[in-house]
Amino acid sequence: MTNPSLLILPGDGIGPEVMAEVRKIIGWYGDKRGLNFDVSEGLVGGCSYDAHGTPLTDETMEKAQEVDAVLLGAVGGPKYDDLDFSVKPERGLLRLRKEMDLYANLRPAQCFDALADFSSLKKDVVAGLDIMIVRELTSGIYFGEPRGIFEEGNERVGINTQRYTESEIERVARSAFELARKRNNKVCSMEKANVMESGILWRAVVSEVHEKEYPDVELSHMYADAGAMQLCRWPKQFDVIVTDNLFGDLLSDAAAMLTGSLGMLPSASLGAPMANGRPKALYEPVHGSAPDIAGQGKANPIACILSFAMALRYSFDEGTEADRLEAAVEKVLADGVRTADLLGEEGVNPVSTSEMGDAIVAALEASL
Ligand code: IPM
Ligand code: MG
């Protein structure tokens, strides 16, 4: 049997540093668990622009379509702020999402016990929090046409279009209901049906899918603004939240902060099953490229490492090994190992990116 294949795209800023720690974890699974991957590496974002004049080459795009899973670090940085929109680092990431048709973006927000004090919210509001945001990722206002900046009379007008087809809503709704069945069986769908026709359709289609295929799951609806408020007020009322591309972008950042640090949160972007039964998949941390701390060994590699845990679970059917990796992260945090982002202003003795990776490998080793 051939090994499953992984394409690693470390990207920009802290991407390469955090990905180096993921490679240690991948190495450990090969050595100690007989889980070997064929790993290849490529460029995405600003580093690809520097090398090739484009944030994603056709060759890398093709490779991403062929492999069993893509792991991505982060893209972007101030160096690229003045680039033409069409070659900005973010365009590389958006092209991957769109061409791989990764319509379901899973963003778990989980509060680790050891970090409950670290949230800006009160401890009892966040302790034990475990919610999953399912963000539609390949349509909506991110991709709708018409779009652009046009002349109208004697001024310019900027246009983006929110557009959703029934089938786009149906498939992401199914992803959310399927996930809910494996969790606490609750889905809350968020849109703005009070002001947007696309929201009216969203609500209707989610309700139809629910009625026909998932009547056993508890479904509720919320306007996205009220949902944002409820996320800050009492986040533990939620299990799975399903929402569109733009609302999901905003709500997932807010949910991320509930847990204390953006440096902790992984994501999986999944598409339709490939011929081998595995879903098209890309895994990436929710945090960005953090140019202010890049290259200093300060970054927290946990979000990227937990993204690999999601790959084990969702692409490779290795749920037990994913649990092992998540438990190793929890153990290390419980032991008080902290990167700088988990210490706050007065924090002393942070560990480096690579020391955090080593500690997690040691915890994996201890789990055998
Ligand atoms: C995210 C990011 C991206 C998005 C950017 C980098 C294009 O904010 O993954 O949430 O807006 O989707
Ligand atoms: Mg975002």
Side-chain angles (χ1 to χ4, degrees):
M1 241 179 59
T2 55
N3 296 328
S5 53
L6 277 179
L7 172 63
I8 292 191
L9 304 173
D12 306 320
I14 59 170
E17 291 161 67
V18 294
M19 201 57 89
E21 302 315 304
V22 176
R23 293 201 80 140
K24 285 183 191 166
I25 307 285
I26 294 173
W28 184 86
Y29 274 102
D31 292 347
K32 301 299 170 77
R33 306 299 301 154
L35 265 177
N36 291 292
F37 296 93
D38 284 339
V39 180
S40 52
E41 229 183 272
L43 300 176
V44 67
C47 59
S48 173
Y49 177 81
D50 289 338
H52 305 294
T54 167
L56 187 74
T57 62
D58 292 344
E59 293 73 50
T60 307
M61 187 64 242
E62 251 166 61
K63 182 85 196 170
Q65 297 280 21
E66 284 162 12
V67 293
D68 291 314
V70 179
L71 295 181
L72 188 139
V75 296
K79 182 177 162 197
Y80 308 105
D81 280 352
D82 296 329
L83 284 184
D84 188 72
F85 185 71
S86 64
V87 289
K88 276 199 184 299
E90 291 78 6
R91 303 309 303 170
L93 177 57
L94 292 168
R95 181 176 176 200
L96 282 165
R97 290 174 179 173
K98 185 70 180 172
E99 291 192 22
M100 291 171 76
D101 203 15
L102 306 170
Y103 58 87
N105 180 219
L106 280 45
R107 298 192 161 185
Q110 232 177 320
C111 184
F112 288 85
D113 282 346
L115 299 180
D117 277 326
F118 210 79
S119 172
S120 51
L121 297 190
K122 293 197 188 81
K123 187 167 177 170
D124 68 313
V125 176
V126 295
L129 178 72
D130 178 8
I131 61 182
M132 176 73 87
I133 296 189
V134 180
R135 166 188 176 193
E136 199 292 325
L137 201 61
T138 51
S139 184
I141 203 160
Y142 270 57
F143 297 99
E145 299 282 346
R147 66 183 298 165
I149 301 175
F150 306 98
E151 298 285 336
E152 203 176 273
N154 55 4
E155 63 174 356
R156 287 167 303 164
V157 50
I159 297 182
N160 290 92
T161 302
Q162 167 82 334
R163 179 180 192 278
Y164 270 106
T165 64
E166 260 184 282
S167 51
E168 286 169 341
I169 302 168
E170 273 167 17
R171 61 184 189 172
V172 73
R174 282 193 188 100
S175 304
F177 288 123
E178 291 290 338
L179 277 163
R181 276 185 175 161
K182 296 188 191 128
R183 298 170 46 96
N184 294 316
N185 219 36
K186 283 201 317 195
V187 171
C188 181
S189 169
M190 296 189 187
E191 27 54 21
K192 289 277 290 176
N194 50 344
V195 285
M196 297 166 76
E197 283 79 359
S198 62
I200 296 176
L201 184 70
W202 182 282
R203 188 177 282 222
V205 172
V206 171
S207 297
E208 284 159 23
V209 172
H210 173 248
E211 212 166 294
K212 281 194 209 119
E213 301 170 42
Y214 301 92
D216 52 300
V217 179
E218 191 187 315
L219 172 67
S220 59
H221 303 274
M222 248 182 225
Y223 298 138
D225 53 345
M229 187 265 281
Q230 291 296 339
L231 258 181
C232 304
R233 192 184 72 82
W234 189 244
K236 283 187 254 182
Q237 70 187 281
F238 298 112
D239 177 24
V240 175
I241 293 173
V242 64
T243 189
D244 77 13
N245 204 342
L246 183 59
F247 294 144
D249 184 40
L250 307 180
L251 292 169
S252 64
D253 264 28
M257 226 28 236
L258 301 175
T259 70
S261 169
L262 211 46
M264 299 292 301
L265 294 185
S267 81
S269 304
L270 306 177
M274 301 185 279
N276 62 13
R278 294 187 173 112
K280 275 264 161 77
L282 180 146
Y283 299 87
E284 58 176 320
V286 171
H287 64 66
S289 60
D292 52 322
I293 57 162
Q296 301 170 35
K298 286 185 185 166
N300 182 352
I302 290 180
C304 206
I305 288 172
L306 290 177
S307 299
F308 177 64
M310 290 188 91
L312 289 172
R313 179 172 293 119
Y314 293 109
S315 281
F316 303 116
D317 219 9
E318 293 285 355
T320 309
E321 295 303 333
D323 290 345
R324 181 197 298 281
L325 182 49
E326 286 162 0
V329 168
E330 246 188 291
K331 166 84 171 50
V332 162
L333 291 171
D335 287 349
V337 183
R338 300 278 186 274
T339 42
D341 59 307
L342 302 178
L343 283 167
E345 293 297 314
E346 67 283 10
V348 283
N349 297 332
V351 299
S352 68
T353 308
S354 115
E355 284 165 337
M356 180 58 96
D358 292 343
I360 294 170
V361 169
L364 282 172
E365 194 67 33
S367 76
L368 292 178

